[in-house]
Amino acid sequence: MSQENNYRVKYQTIEIGTLDIHLKTLKDKQQFFDKDDIAQKLGISSAQWPIFGILWEAGEVLANLMLTYEIEGKRILELGCGLALASMVLNLRGANITATDYHPEVASFLKYNSLLNSKKNIPYFQASWDDKVSIVEKFDVIIGSDVLYERTHVNLLSSFIELYANKKCEIIIIDPARGNHNAFCRKMDTFGFSSRNEKPITDYLPKAFKGKVLYLNR
């Protein structure tokens, strides 16, 4: 473990299939450092601040799905990426992957971790789900993990996805049973997306995963 910018970090190696993904993460959920109140001005509280830098089970599930996902000819976006474990897997596989998040610390962690695992940096842009104008071009596949953790995120997330989704697009979201996925799927239906969900096989986790994989297609 080490000290950086008045918060503590640790280094982990995560096995995703036959891949070893090396990550710098926050030491725990008690870490906090908001120089010049940058995060606060973005509406990120001290309680929310460390969420980006913790490895969550839903992120591992998404990364394992991306290990065998068909990537040929697809432009992929990981939204609310946090530590971007799934993006690391896709990057190692040579996918056309871009990551996005709102947290001001994500960019530096992503650059460090992507170069720790590959010589190829992962393109990144910072964006709010409130944005009304897209920053980059649209995507064929949009992925995310545990991005429906509040009821208010249903409308925000669906509008953000529509902003960046191609006319033909697949959405893959890992939802750890927070209870908001039905409302989200109904909202996405208004944008022309059909939906289904599956229980993932997660024998690589130390305990059973209670959530589902949401698949949406248009």
Side-chain angles (χ1 to χ4, degrees), residues 40 63 65 85 104 126 133 136 162 174 176 180 182-183:
Q40 184 180 26
L65 281 181
L85 182 61
Q126 184 178 7
V133 179
V136 299
E162 176 62 11
I174 310 302
N180 297 317
N182 286 333

Side-chain angles (χ1 to χ4, degrees), residues 57-156:
E57 285 186 345
E60 291 190 61
V61 175
L62 182 61
N64 275 274
L65 281 181
M66 292 302 104
L67 190 63
T68 56
Y69 184 74
E70 177 57 52
I71 61 175
E72 186 68 31
K74 296 177 181 178
R75 190 162 187 251
I76 306 171
L77 174 68
E78 182 178 8
L79 52 84
C81 67
L83 291 171
L85 182 61
S87 291
M88 303 292 167
V89 171
L90 289 167
N91 196 37
L92 283 172
R93 294 184 61 209
N96 184 350
I97 176 65
T98 299
T100 183
D101 204 296
Y102 188 48
H103 198 290
E105 294 290 328
V106 166
S108 63
F109 273 71
L110 180 66
K111 183 177 181 179
Y112 183 94
N113 285 330
S114 61
L115 295 179
L116 188 65
N117 290 280
S118 170
K119 294 181 179 180
K120 181 184 176 184
N121 203 359
I122 296 174
Y124 173 81
F125 65 95
Q126 184 178 7
S128 167
W129 291 353
D130 283 322
D131 289 351
K132 304 303 180 186
V133 179
S134 59
I135 298 173
V136 299
E137 295 179 0
K138 294 180 182 288
F139 295 84
D140 307 301
V141 182
I142 299 177
I143 63 175
S145 59
D146 203 1
V147 288
L148 289 166
Y149 40 84
E150 292 183 14
R151 184 74 175 184
T152 55
H153 292 158
V154 169
N155 288 332
L156 287 172

Side-chain angles (χ1 to χ4, degrees), residues 21-56:
I21 307 295
H22 309 294
L23 291 178
K24 178 179 76 172
T25 73
L26 292 178
K27 175 180 177 289
D28 51 41
K29 290 183 285 187
Q30 280 65 56
Q31 302 307 309
F32 174 74
F33 179 69
D34 188 16
K35 185 179 180 180
D36 301 323
D37 296 328
I38 294 174
Q40 184 180 26
K41 291 172 184 175
L42 293 174
I44 300 171
S45 68
S46 58
Q48 296 169 322
W49 190 93
I51 291 175
F52 85 94
I54 303 297
L55 182 62
W56 303 96

